[in-house]
Amino acid sequence: MMLNAPLTGVPANDLADIALKLAETGLVIRDDFLPAELIEQLASEGRALRDNGGLRAAGIGRGQQFQANSAIRSDHIQWLDPETATPAQRHYLGLLEELRLAINRTLFLGLFEFEGHLALYPPGAYYRRHLDQFQGTQHRLVTVILYLNPEWREADGGQLRLYPDPADDGRFQDLLPIGGRLVCFLSGDFPHEVLPARRERLSITGWFRKRD
């Protein structure tokens, strides 16, 4: 599928509103964040990577602590590289740069860059409860997830389960990975997990980071 018309950006006041709500509650959910045409293009690229062997099993940890552990997570990923990004990916990365600046103006977090990957969960795949910060580091400050799944239904499963109170496992919020939905939250404040789905599940997941 080719993009047939110029893609428009997200209005600056909408990005500022996301930053403001992130400061107030630590969690923001925005549906229809991007045009459906762009969502479909990104999803199509993810499926092409799957078909061409361009995805690899995801792991946990970083550096010498990195390991693949399918008991914890069983998704497949490809990291985004601005130098080789597709036009659709560059468009999304450009919007994220505007969002990074808006968050810095509001929260003064000193966010330096975005790192992220396309994530594909085959049917039945999952990611057990975790925090988006490596042990002993706090470089990832804001998590940003864009879902690429058209016509997702409750029966499809695959919810993102957020735990607003780390001390209370019985209190959680489930979010469906609906195509075009953007979820943004403070990485150190929300333990979360990805529940198994009954169909293939695609997203672009990433983090705004401060300098190492």
Side-chain angles (χ1 to χ4, degrees), residues 144-174:
V144 185
I145 307 169
L146 176 69
Y147 292 112
L148 309 176
N149 310 294
E151 300 178 1
W152 198 272
R153 301 169 300 173
E154 189 84 30
D156 294 325
Q159 293 90 340
L160 172 69
R161 176 164 290 181
L162 295 161
Y163 295 88
D165 182 356
D168 186 356
D169 290 348
R171 183 183 169 205
F172 54 81
Q173 179 178 1
D174 283 351

Side-chain angles (χ1 to χ4, degrees), residues 71-82:
I72 295 176
R73 65 183 298 187
S74 52
D75 57 319
H76 295 79
I77 66 170
Q78 185 195 61
W79 288 95
L80 299 182
D81 182 350

Side-chain angles (χ1 to χ4, degrees), residues 5-212:
L7 293 166
T8 57
V10 177
N13 59 337
D14 287 353
L15 297 175
D17 185 60
I18 290 174
L20 182 61
K21 285 185 168 51
L22 186 68
E24 293 173 346
T25 67
L27 169 66
V28 185
I29 303 159
R30 279 285 188 277
D31 288 343
D32 301 317
F33 182 72
L34 292 181
E37 186 178 11
L38 179 55
I39 294 296
E40 174 52 32
Q41 178 66 26
L42 292 167
S44 177
E45 292 171 359
R47 292 190 292 268
L49 284 170
R50 173 204 62 201
D51 294 341
N52 296 327
L55 301 175
R56 65 175 179 82
I60 57 173
R62 65 182 303 187
Q64 294 182 347
Q65 283 73 47
F66 177 86
Q67 60 175 309
N69 188 336
S70 60
I72 295 176
R73 65 183 298 187
S74 52
D75 57 319
H76 295 79
I77 66 170
Q78 185 195 61
W79 288 95
L80 299 182
D81 182 350
E83 297 298 321
T84 59
T86 67
Q89 291 169 359
R90 287 199 300 271
H91 185 89
Y92 179 54
L93 292 173
L95 291 177
L96 290 182
E97 174 62 12
E98 296 177 22
L99 179 58
R100 180 186 71 85
L101 295 174
I103 294 173
N104 274 346
R105 285 192 293 267
T106 303
L107 279 77
F108 306 101
L109 291 178
L111 302 176
F112 171 64
E113 66 178 359
F114 174 82
E115 64 173 3
H117 54 62
L118 186 137
L120 184 148
Y121 287 76
Y126 51 81
Y127 194 163
R128 304 302 187 200
R129 177 172 165 163
H130 63 284
L131 270 180
D132 280 347
Q133 289 182 343
F134 296 117
Q135 187 172 3
T137 69
Q138 296 181 344
H139 298 132
R140 292 176 174 176
L141 297 184
V142 179
T143 299
V144 185
I145 307 169
L146 176 69
Y147 292 112
L148 309 176
N149 310 294
E151 300 178 1
W152 198 272
R153 301 169 300 173
E154 189 84 30
D156 294 325
Q159 293 90 340
L160 172 69
R161 176 164 290 181
L162 295 161
Y163 295 88
D165 182 356
D168 186 356
D169 290 348
R171 183 183 169 205
F172 54 81
Q173 179 178 1
D174 283 351
L175 300 173
L176 288 175
I178 297 168
R181 171 171 285 176
L182 185 84
V183 180
C184 186
F185 57 88
L186 297 179
S187 302
D189 291 358
F190 288 87
H192 56 283
E193 62 182 311
V194 175
L195 303 183
R198 295 178 178 84
R199 52 180 277 206
E200 186 176 80
R201 179 187 188 277
L202 281 163
S203 67
I204 294 178
T205 299
W207 306 269
F208 291 125
R209 295 166 43 93
K210 67 179 182 180
R211 291 183 185 271
D212 290 344

